[in-house]
Amino acid sequence: MTRQPEPAGSPLVVLGKIVSVHGIRGAVKVYSHTDPLDNVLDYPEWILRKGNAQQQVSVVAGRVQGRILVVQLKGLADRDKALELVDWEICVPRAELPALDDGEFYWHQLEGLQVVTVDGQLLGRIDHLLETGSNDVMVVKPCAGSLDQRERLLPYLPDLYVKHIDLTEGVMQVDWDPEF
């Protein structure tokens, strides 16, 4: 499932999406972008968003079921009402995310950064990241001024390929051969 990066400066961060209903008592199935996937349950209050519409909900209970979560929301006890929430994004205020150690970043912080080689060649911008079995992968798409129009999949391996990240300048420096 590909999701669109949050606009820079957005006060909300998307942590998942309601994908279906579960049972007849209003429980919903949630696809979580967090790792581990049940970390989304660490936030008892969610802001649900679909287009320009938003609503705040409270989590009563949740459990892992395979690759999704089954979640009961406060005041939602009817399957038909739960169906109305399918395809709504689950967001929390960016300020509620735990602070990270130096050199650690949330994916949403990396999305949109320009990727420049140590030789100064602009490869493009990070569109989104993918989780693979061995390491995370950055999907770098061409942008104005980039070396060429190729989309690149670069491993997110700090200290090996990723040499420097400057969130203020919006740039990530990588040790990468553009011909690779």
Side-chain angles (χ1 to χ4, degrees), residues 155-174:
Y156 180 72
L157 295 171
D159 299 326
L160 184 58
Y161 295 117
V162 177
K163 297 302 179 186
H164 181 72
I165 297 173
D166 187 334
L167 296 179
T168 306
E169 294 294 320
V171 175
M172 174 187 289
Q173 186 181 52
V174 296

Side-chain angles (χ1 to χ4, degrees), residues 107 128-132 135-139 153-156:
W107 280 12
H128 61 280
L129 289 96
L130 304 170
E131 185 177 356
T132 67
N135 57 271
D136 296 334
V137 173
M138 303 175 290
V139 178
L153 302 177
L154 305 179
Y156 180 72

Side-chain angles (χ1 to χ4, degrees), residues 101-130:
D101 293 333
D102 285 341
E104 292 184 342
F105 301 93
Y106 287 109
W107 280 12
H108 74 267
Q109 293 176 297
L110 302 177
E111 292 169 342
L113 293 182
Q114 286 188 338
V115 179
V116 179
T117 67
V118 291
D119 299 332
Q121 296 176 309
L122 175 61
L123 299 179
R125 288 191 181 274
I126 299 174
D127 184 67
H128 61 280
L129 289 96
L130 304 170

Side-chain angles (χ1 to χ4, degrees), residues 42-69:
D42 291 346
Y43 302 90
E45 301 293 321
W46 293 347
I47 298 170
L48 299 183
R49 180 176 68 187
K50 187 172 186 179
N52 292 328
Q54 291 185 3
Q55 62 178 301
Q56 187 164 347
V57 296
S58 298
V59 176
V60 174
R63 63 179 161 70
V64 176
Q65 183 171 309
R67 291 185 165 179
I68 62 163
L69 300 170

Side-chain angles (χ1 to χ4, degrees), residues 141-152:
K141 293 194 174 187
C143 64
S146 60
L147 178 66
D148 53 32
Q149 294 302 303
R150 289 177 49 195
E151 179 179 289
R152 291 178 169 83

